[in-house]
Amino acid sequence: MSSSSQPQVYLTREGTELILNYGPKAHVAPSSRVLVVGGGVTGLTTAWALLDAGYAVTVVSEKWASLEDRITSQIAGALWEWPPAVCGKHTNLISLDNSKRWCMTTYRGLDKLMHTLPAQEHGVRMRMANFFFEQSIHKMSGQLEKMNEIAAVHDIQGFKHDPTLVKTHAVNQDAGVVDSYRHLAPVIDTDQYMGWLRSTVVAKGGKLITARINGDLLEQEDRLLAKYGAQAIVNATGLGAYETAADHSVVPLRGALVRVINDGKRFPIVKEALCVSHDDTHGAEAEDIVFIVPRNDRTLILGGLVQPHVHTLDLTIDSPEIIRMRDRCNKFVPGLENAELDPVPFVQGLRPFRDTNVRVDREQRLKSDGTHSRIIHSYGQGGSGFTLSFGCAADVLELLSELEKSPYLERASL
């Protein structure tokens, strides 16, 4: 996508919100440059927001989204979810409180994007998402609370609590589900969206550099700022923050997806997402998650694997846990066991999770000379990178504004 063909979409921060707008935007000469480290959905969404806020932006990443060598953001399930997500592990109260605010900023932004530009350009579609339960949700305090919160948010469209959805979707009785609710949610074709997002950043003047930055950013902050002519750094390195932020609370959550062709020839076309969250009564290690999502008009993804603290990517489509995962999905859709595999039938990745909470704050350690850092962190979103992307970017803008007004601000986080 060239700059001349770049659609006129831009972001503005209003209060804590990041608002997507369409139309001509007056050019403003950049006041300063920000270095963003990390080229996933968090890093590129932040870069987009920074560019529209009037900053010059350099993004440094070891890899970029491609069809030949997919990055973690492309392997994500990318179904917008009210936290905690089906395949997520965030239960920290502070993290959940922030995530509920962040996710709604993203919901409104992606909904506006879908109604502004054709889905074929960016890959975002609004689909009905159905969530099923093995017992009455009124007996599951955590899930009941989550459902009631969703029902109370006006901007979440199409909410309905209806146990008959089990029959509506012809869910196999062997699946053992008896209750359900649904609502409209953004679903992102990650290959399409990440390519569009990268093109958007470039068209707005962002500079992309393919390189790997090793080590703790704090220890090399002055050198990096000088090298890239920047006045601040945003650390969006995901799992890499174990090293770049010296944050040993960052751990991987291994996940995997089976991709099948969703053309109606071997099973009825699936047009809505079908999900089952982990039930704590089954035990922490129980494999009970179901995640079935139409990625686009042809591809259906099957997921439901969450393996904490596993660093290797050595699964195959024939691994026992993948066979069990697919079997759980098969119980939901008649004929799904006969599905034709996609040309890219299996992908796996490591979600960047943080034991405490999602981190969006200023670096709180002092530099070696005793001065305050100009690093802002945004990482640890786990399996919710897309869901939280707009909201986290809005908070980065606020933190950057605070840093510029008072570089020695004692309170380093929101």
Side-chain angles (χ1 to χ4, degrees):
M1 182 188 299
S2 66
S3 58
S4 61
S5 64
Q6 170 62 33
Q8 294 175 309
V9 290
Y10 62 95
L11 300 170
T12 56
R13 185 168 68 90
E14 300 178 16
T16 61
E17 281 283 298
L18 197 62
I19 308 297
L20 187 137
N21 308 273
Y22 180 79
K25 183 180 185 297
H27 175 73
V28 178
S31 57
S32 59
R33 180 171 294 276
V34 177
L35 170 63
V36 177
V37 185
V41 65
T42 299
L44 289 183
T45 304
T46 302
W48 176 13
L50 289 167
L51 287 160
D52 283 341
Y55 295 95
V57 177
T58 299
V59 186
V60 175
S61 182
E62 182 181 15
K63 291 172 58 177
W64 307 96
S66 72
L67 297 180
E68 293 73 31
D69 186 14
R70 286 177 168 86
I71 63 175
T72 300
S73 291
Q74 290 174 275
I75 299 169
L79 166 69
W80 181 95
E81 293 185 68
W82 183 263
V86 167
C87 293
K89 287 283 186 179
H90 287 119
T91 57
N92 176 277
L93 293 180
I94 295 176
S95 186
L96 287 177
D97 187 54
N98 285 330
S99 294
K100 290 168 186 176
R101 174 171 56 87
W102 291 330
C103 79
M104 287 311 304
T105 297
T106 303
Y107 189 104
R108 287 183 280 265
L110 292 178
D111 183 46
K112 181 72 174 292
L113 179 62
M114 195 208 70
H115 286 94
T116 301
L117 301 175
Q120 291 75 14
E121 290 189 26
H122 48 68
V124 179
R125 296 167 176 83
M126 294 293 286
R127 298 189 187 273
M128 197 63 74
N130 301 268
F131 299 88
F132 299 92
F133 307 91
E134 293 185 359
Q135 56 183 313
S136 168
I137 198 169
H138 293 285
K139 298 179 180 179
M140 308 171 71
S141 60
Q143 294 294 348
L144 178 62
E145 179 182 6
K146 177 178 176 177
M147 183 186 75
N148 287 338
E149 289 175 348
I150 293 170
V153 179
H154 175 73
D155 287 341
I156 299 179
Q157 306 161 42
F159 173 80
K160 183 179 183 181
H161 174 214
D162 184 1
T164 66
L165 292 172
V166 178
K167 292 183 179 179
T168 300
H169 290 281
V171 176
N172 190 319
Q173 289 185 352
D174 291 341
V177 294
V178 298
D179 206 351
S180 52
Y181 66 81
R182 71 181 189 187
H183 60 77
L184 282 171
V187 176
I188 299 97
D189 181 338
T190 55
D191 290 338
Q192 184 73 23
Y193 185 79
M194 289 303 298
W196 178 85
L197 186 57
R198 179 181 177 181
S199 296
T200 296
V201 169
V202 171
K204 289 176 178 291
K207 183 178 181 180
L208 307 186
I209 296 176
T210 304
R212 177 179 174 85
I213 297 178
N214 296 303
D216 188 347
L217 296 181
L218 183 68
E219 296 179 354
Q220 52 191 316
E221 178 178 339
D222 290 342
R223 181 176 62 80
L224 290 172
L225 291 174
K227 178 178 180 179
Y228 295 102
Q231 284 69 53
I233 299 173
V234 175
N235 178 18
T237 54
L239 199 59
Y242 183 95
E243 178 182 355
T244 59
D247 186 348
H248 293 177
S249 72
V250 176
V251 296
L253 292 179
R254 185 167 69 173
L257 298 172
V258 174
R259 297 162 52 103
V260 300
I261 295 175
N262 189 27
D263 60 3
K265 293 181 180 180
R266 299 194 180 185
F267 60 91
I269 294 178
V270 177
K271 298 181 179 180
E272 302 182 7
L274 311 170
C275 305
V276 176
S277 298
H278 172 64
D279 186 342
D280 290 336
T281 63
H282 294 167
E285 303 302 320
E287 296 179 341
D288 56 359
I289 297 173
V290 173
F291 191 82
I292 303 173
V293 179
R295 174 69 95 198
N296 49 44
D297 292 335
R298 180 175 171 80
T299 306
L300 186 70
I301 59 172
L302 313 178
L305 186 70
V306 179
Q307 296 181 321
H309 303 279
V310 179
H311 295 260
T312 57
L313 292 174
D314 54 2
L315 294 170
T316 72
I317 200 169
D318 296 317
S319 295
E321 55 264 68
I322 301 303
I323 293 173
R324 293 193 297 269
M325 180 185 78
R326 185 172 179 184
D327 183 60
R328 294 194 300 275
C329 294
N330 288 346
K331 291 179 180 178
F332 268 77
V333 179
L336 187 56
E337 67 275 9
N338 302 317
E340 180 182 356
L341 293 174
D342 184 77
V344 181
F346 178 75
V347 293
Q348 59 187 311
L350 303 177
R351 308 176 185 92
F353 179 70
R354 193 165 179 254
D355 282 337
T356 48
N357 58 336
V358 179
R359 186 178 188 186
V360 183
D361 67 12
R362 287 183 59 182
E363 174 58 63
Q364 299 181 29
R365 297 172 296 163
L366 297 177
K367 295 192 295 184
S368 59
D369 62 1
T371 60
H372 289 253
S373 171
R374 301 184 68 83
I375 297 172
I376 296 171
H377 299 285
S378 183
Y379 62 83
Q381 286 84 357
S384 299
F386 284 89
T387 293
L388 305 181
S389 57
F390 279 55
C392 290
D395 276 16
V396 169
L397 286 180
E398 183 173 353
L399 289 164
L400 184 57
S401 177
E402 288 184 0
L403 186 152
E404 291 177 325
K405 293 175 182 177
S406 180
Y408 302 106
L409 189 67
E410 290 184 1
R411 185 175 64 89
S413 63
L414 288 175

